[in-house]
Amino acid sequence: MNNIATLAKMQLKEKLVSQKAGARTKAVSGTLLTVLTTLLKFVLSSAICFGLYTVAMVFSVFGTMAYVPDTFMTFLFTVLLMLSIASCTVRLTKALYFSRDNVILLTLPATPTQVFLSKIVVFFIFELKKNASFIIPVFVGYFLAHGHSFGFYPWLIICFIFISVFTIAVASLLSIPAAIITNFVRQRKSLQILITALSVIAVVVGLFLFVSVIPGELDLRVGWHTLGLQIQEFLMLFAEKISVIHDLTRMMIGEIIIGELSVTAVFPADVMLLRFGALLITSLALFMLSILVVKPIFYSMASKPFEYLKLLVKPKTNIVRSSKFTAIHSEFLKSAKDSARTATNIAIAVSIPMLSFVSNLIFSAMPTTEFGNKLIFACNLLLILLISLNSNSYAASIFSRDGRSAYLIKIQPKDPTLLLVAKLMPTTVFCFFSFVLTGTLLVSFSKLIITDVVFLMLGITFVYLAHLLYSAELDILNPHTEIYAAVGEYESDPNEIKSSSCAFILSFAVAALLFLLLFKEDIGSVCIKFAGIALLAFAYRAYLFISNIKLFYKEK
Amino acid sequence: MKKSVIFMIGIIYAASIMLVTFYGLVTEDAPTDSIPVKSIEIVGENVGESSGEKFVWLDSPLLSGGSLTYQIQCKLTPDNTTNTAVIYETDDPYASVDENGLVTITGFSEAGGVNVITVKVYATDDEGNKSTAITDVLNIWYASE
């Protein structure tokens, strides 16, 4: 038991304690900061969920009901649970079998079972932290909107402790086939390409199926009541089919009794405790099963991912390229070899035009006023900027991810600016492709003419590049190479959080500003002005980026 | 991109569609500019005019205990007027006219002779009130046995 606790503390220390460049903060204040941050996220998420439930009740999204039905909570909890299990499986597979710290942990004086259990304990803590930020607030918001009594809140936390155990137990069982499949796919490049291509085709086909459902004329206000009743019917059918999760949901939210003026949640102790007992037994049984199944094979599976690297690779002729081109070529090669990174790049390249296409198709089916057309323009801009700027959060940790080899940029006999900019190119190329496709779709499906679209997309491109350089600069001036070197991931990277926050603020600010400008000028001149100002902003950002790099690397 | 960021973008996406739905669409009961009636004219195949008044002969005679009907047709100018309501009135004790202009004659003052019923039609204003300045008159002649 001591070994498990020590191993867990070792792993938690690296992941929970925040570090500043060049100095370690005290462990206690670092942990306190993490707890406070989690609490803040919990409060914020609960407030957002409460707001959404209130809006749903005001707009009668669920028909004539003045409350959110428990069948909706069942649907929501099912979706969140499935996503949680899927996400847990992926992350647990990575943590158990592909984590860099396995190389050290498996050589320590502890049995493989102790290493396995320590990883499960660490994962359990992170799962609870994630649930506290994301899933528990969904229920807390529901309790606040429906006036649940205080006793439901601690009851919810107790239930979620065991739901987390259940999720991890299922994920650890699923991690075995997931690890085998991952190992198999990682060694076959053609299979990776095939899976990526099939995923993109599936998304595009799904998109066309969805688009075919959108009617030629759409006015949600007219059919709102009918839509609400249809939603109710669907939810009731869903709850009937997934009765186990419906019972689990009602165990947490209580039995809802509809009065004349309000709804009340009651806690029938016998039924609730019976359901809780079933959850407890199932979670613990699955957990024991996962230990029994994984224990004999953990060591061989955890060491296999590193062993396959020993396969012989045919030597290739070394091609001498220009010194400037080499950096760019190597970054593109590294990006292509990182399948997770490639998948993310493709997802961003496809998602912006896809979402833009769907939203403009919906908007073009609506009978809009002039004010509505201005709103549509602002919404299009907001959505494109939100996705593209948030994709830059990867740039806020791109140099730190090199870990202990980040110093190589400093000692290479080349301009560090070129080396640093080369790292940003692979993602930028995918984004440019995405902007071109989005522009083409906007010309076809929105009310904008081609010159307006060209200037709009130019403006978006310059804003994207300016934010990209800002995010990269955050990482250059405040790197976290030690954390990435030790663990490979930094969940609460402050640079990524700053980049993401700036992305949201910038997107809303630009969209709001252009929306207000549309009341004074026509769309054409607004787009031209936007492109001009964005170009100036990018030029200023680029100048700052280059100056800061020269200063940081002490170039003369 | 973190899952929380993807979730927030999804909410903003849905919210933008709702925003356009509730604040950017044409409303059905939006008030349109009213186009007043300038003139009203009784028309029909058998309607004639004499001394500035319209008249029509009913072919069938009115039998004792029976009734005769006649449908008045009106033409409003301009064609795209928004005040399309018409008011029909008659003071004759032997006839009545409904809101659609159907005249029903149930009696006569002179048996075995020629009788006449006078019906007045009035255009209406924006509030639906009778416009005494925009009017026409129809005299319905019929025989009785």
Side-chain angles (χ1 to χ4, degrees):
Chain A
M1 205 53 127
N2 279 338
N3 278 352
I4 298 170
T6 309
L7 286 166
K9 277 185 205 169
M10 273 171 62
Q11 292 169 74
L12 279 170
K13 191 181 174 193
E14 286 297 326
K15 290 178 181 177
L16 282 180
V17 176
S18 64
Q19 294 180 352
K20 290 182 184 175
R24 267 179 198 273
T25 56
K26 288 182 186 170
V28 172
S29 57
T31 311
L32 199 62
L33 188 66
T34 307
V35 169
L36 282 172
T37 316
T38 308
L39 267 172
L40 191 66
K41 277 188 203 171
F42 170 78
V43 168
L44 196 63
S45 304
S46 303
I48 290 172
C49 291
F50 169 70
L52 288 171
Y53 290 129
T54 310
V55 164
M57 289 193 284
V58 164
F59 283 98
S60 306
V61 171
F62 304 103
T64 51
M65 291 182 181
Y67 67 100
V68 177
D70 54 0
T71 47
F72 174 73
M73 294 307 291
T74 302
F75 174 76
L76 197 59
F77 181 55
T78 307
V79 170
L80 290 172
L81 189 65
M82 294 298 120
L83 286 175
S84 189
I85 290 174
S87 158
C88 248
T89 304
V90 169
R91 289 184 299 121
L92 195 58
T93 305
K94 208 173 167 183
L96 284 176
Y97 308 114
F98 299 102
S99 176
R100 286 185 207 178
D101 57 8
N102 279 353
V103 175
I104 306 295
L105 290 172
L106 289 172
T107 57
L108 289 174
T111 62
T113 311
Q114 287 169 337
V115 171
F116 167 73
L117 285 171
S118 70
K119 283 184 173 284
I120 293 290
V121 165
V122 169
F123 213 79
F124 175 71
I125 292 168
F126 274 99
E127 185 62 18
L128 274 179
K129 186 171 162 260
K130 194 194 74 168
N131 284 340
S133 306
F134 202 56
I135 302 183
I136 294 179
V138 168
F139 286 87
V140 168
Y142 182 82
F143 292 169
L144 290 169
H146 295 83
H148 279 57
S149 61
F150 180 75
F152 277 97
Y153 295 86
W155 171 247
L156 180 72
I157 293 170
I158 294 167
C159 291
F160 258 95
I161 289 171
F162 289 97
I163 288 172
S164 303
V165 171
F166 172 82
T167 309
I168 288 169
V170 171
S172 61
L173 284 169
L174 291 175
S175 69
I176 300 165
I180 294 167
I181 292 168
T182 308
N183 256 339
F184 184 78
V185 171
R186 273 172 69 165
Q187 294 176 43
R188 287 155 184 84
K189 199 74 185 171
S190 52
L191 203 56
Q192 290 175 35
I193 295 168
L194 182 67
I195 290 170
T196 309
L198 285 173
S199 308
V200 171
I201 290 168
V203 163
V204 171
V205 166
L207 172 71
F208 276 106
L209 284 173
F210 176 73
V211 155
S212 65
V213 169
I214 299 173
E217 284 178 15
L218 182 68
D219 190 341
L220 288 170
R221 299 166 304 174
V222 172
W224 194 248
H225 180 68
T226 317
L227 185 67
L229 291 173
Q230 284 174 340
I231 289 172
Q232 264 187 61
E233 271 177 41
F234 166 76
L235 290 174
M236 280 169 64
L237 189 67
F238 186 88
E240 265 177 46
K241 299 284 180 197
I242 321 277
S243 55
V244 171
I245 300 185
H246 187 50
D247 288 339
L248 198 63
T249 312
R250 285 189 300 170
M251 179 192 75
M252 291 187 283
I253 66 173
E255 299 291 338
I256 306 292
I257 298 184
I258 305 156
E260 276 184 27
L261 297 169
S262 62
V263 295
T264 319
V266 295
F267 191 98
D270 50 349
V271 174
M272 305 282 257
L273 290 172
L274 190 67
R275 289 172 183 162
F276 181 74
L279 170 69
L280 188 69
I281 292 167
T282 312
S283 309
L284 292 175
L286 275 173
F287 186 68
M288 295 310 300
L289 182 67
S290 69
I291 294 174
L292 279 170
V293 170
V294 176
K295 181 181 155 186
I297 57 174
F298 172 68
Y299 183 77
S300 65
M301 286 189 69
S303 51
K304 226 177 197 171
F306 305 99
E307 285 179 4
Y308 100 90
L309 292 168
K310 292 179 192 169
L311 288 172
L312 287 173
V313 177
K314 288 180 192 171
K316 289 183 183 173
T317 314
N318 197 19
I319 302 170
V320 178
R321 302 176 198 277
S322 81
S323 61
K324 287 188 177 138
F325 184 66
T326 300
I328 298 169
H329 181 251
S330 69
E331 290 302 330
F332 271 95
L333 266 182
K334 272 197 278 181
S335 174
K337 285 183 179 181
D338 184 348
S339 50
R341 192 69 216 131
T342 307
T344 309
N345 284 337
I346 291 172
I348 289 166
V350 167
S351 62
I352 298 176
M354 193 178 79
L355 290 172
S356 195
F357 172 59
V358 170
S359 58
N360 278 294
L361 212 61
I362 293 171
F363 290 143
S364 65
M366 295 179 177
T368 49
T369 58
E370 269 306 303
F371 181 77
N373 290 337
K374 293 180 173 65
L375 266 179
I376 288 169
F377 177 83
C379 289
N380 268 321
L381 183 63
L382 177 67
L383 291 170
I384 296 170
L385 282 175
L386 273 175
I387 300 173
S388 55
L389 297 191
N390 274 289
S391 71
N392 283 342
S393 60
Y394 187 81
S397 60
I398 201 161
F399 308 112
S400 298
R401 283 172 196 270
D402 279 344
R404 294 200 182 96
S405 56
Y407 75 96
L408 289 172
I409 291 175
K410 239 182 177 177
I411 64 169
Q412 283 198 41
K414 280 183 208 172
D415 180 8
T417 313
L418 174 67
L419 297 171
L420 294 167
V421 167
K423 282 191 174 297
L424 305 173
M425 282 196 176
T427 310
T428 309
V429 163
F430 279 94
C431 247
F432 280 165
F433 168 75
S434 164
F435 289 154
V436 167
L437 201 55
T438 307
T440 312
L441 289 168
L442 280 176
V443 167
S444 310
F445 293 99
S446 73
K447 293 174 183 169
L448 300 171
I449 58 173
I450 190 164
T451 46
D452 294 346
V453 169
V454 166
F455 281 110
L456 179 69
M457 295 317 295
L458 274 174
I460 290 171
T461 306
F462 291 132
V463 170
Y464 165 79
L465 287 172
H467 184 259
L468 178 72
L469 292 178
Y470 164 74
S471 305
E473 202 179 296
L474 284 175
D475 196 37
I476 292 169
L477 300 180
N478 187 23
H480 296 97
T481 49
E482 287 300 316
I483 298 175
Y484 281 98
V487 184
E489 281 290 334
Y490 187 4
E491 211 177 277
S492 311
D493 189 335
N495 292 335
E496 285 188 353
I497 293 170
K498 266 189 217 169
S499 169
S500 206
S501 310
C502 178
F504 272 94
I505 294 167
L506 195 57
S507 304
F508 275 99
V510 168
L513 191 65
L514 293 196
F515 176 68
L516 292 172
L517 267 178
L518 282 174
F519 287 97
K520 294 188 178 173
E521 298 179 26
D522 63 299
I523 284 182
S525 45
V526 165
C527 289
I528 292 170
K529 281 185 183 168
F530 171 52
I533 294 169
L535 175 62
L536 289 172
F538 165 63
Y540 175 67
R541 255 281 133 221
Y543 166 73
L544 275 180
F545 181 74
I546 293 168
S547 311
N548 283 332
I549 286 173
K550 284 189 174 157
L551 198 67
F552 188 72
Y553 287 96
K554 292 179 185 165
E555 291 288 312
K556 289 178 187 174
Chain B
M1 217 185 288
K2 289 190 186 340
K3 279 186 280 291
S4 54
V5 169
I6 296 171
F7 180 67
M8 285 181 71
I9 292 175
I11 290 181
I12 292 168
Y13 186 81
S16 66
I17 294 175
M18 290 295 113
L19 193 70
V20 172
T21 300
F22 287 101
Y23 295 101
L25 299 190
V26 172
T27 47
E28 281 179 2
D29 55 352
T32 53
D33 292 335
S34 96
I35 302 168
V37 177
K38 289 188 180 162
S39 67
I40 187 167
E41 187 188 357
I42 295 171
V43 295
E45 272 185 24
N46 302 321
V47 174
E49 191 168 341
S50 171
S51 307
E53 283 193 351
K54 304 269 176 19
F55 68 92
V56 64
W57 269 106
L58 297 182
D59 294 330
S60 312
L62 178 62
L63 302 172
S64 178
S67 66
L68 288 175
T69 58
Y70 178 75
Q71 177 64 56
I72 298 176
Q73 293 171 29
C74 296
K75 183 176 180 299
L76 297 169
T77 306
D79 293 334
N80 61 344
T81 177
T82 52
N83 303 332
T84 55
V86 173
I87 295 175
Y88 303 87
E89 287 180 359
T90 180
D91 294 330
D92 202 290
Y94 301 114
S96 64
V97 58
D98 69 8
E99 68 269 14
N100 298 319
L102 183 68
V103 179
T104 308
I105 305 168
T106 53
F108 45 82
S109 55
E110 196 169 323
V114 173
N115 300 272
V116 61
I117 303 288
T118 303
V119 180
K120 289 181 185 171
V121 298
Y122 298 93
T124 54
D125 59 16
D126 289 344
E127 281 84 42
N129 299 322
K130 186 166 74 174
S131 174
T132 52
I134 305 170
T135 182
D136 203 357
V137 177
L138 178 67
N139 296 313
I140 304 173
W141 294 87
Y142 62 100
S144 58
E145 287 189 355

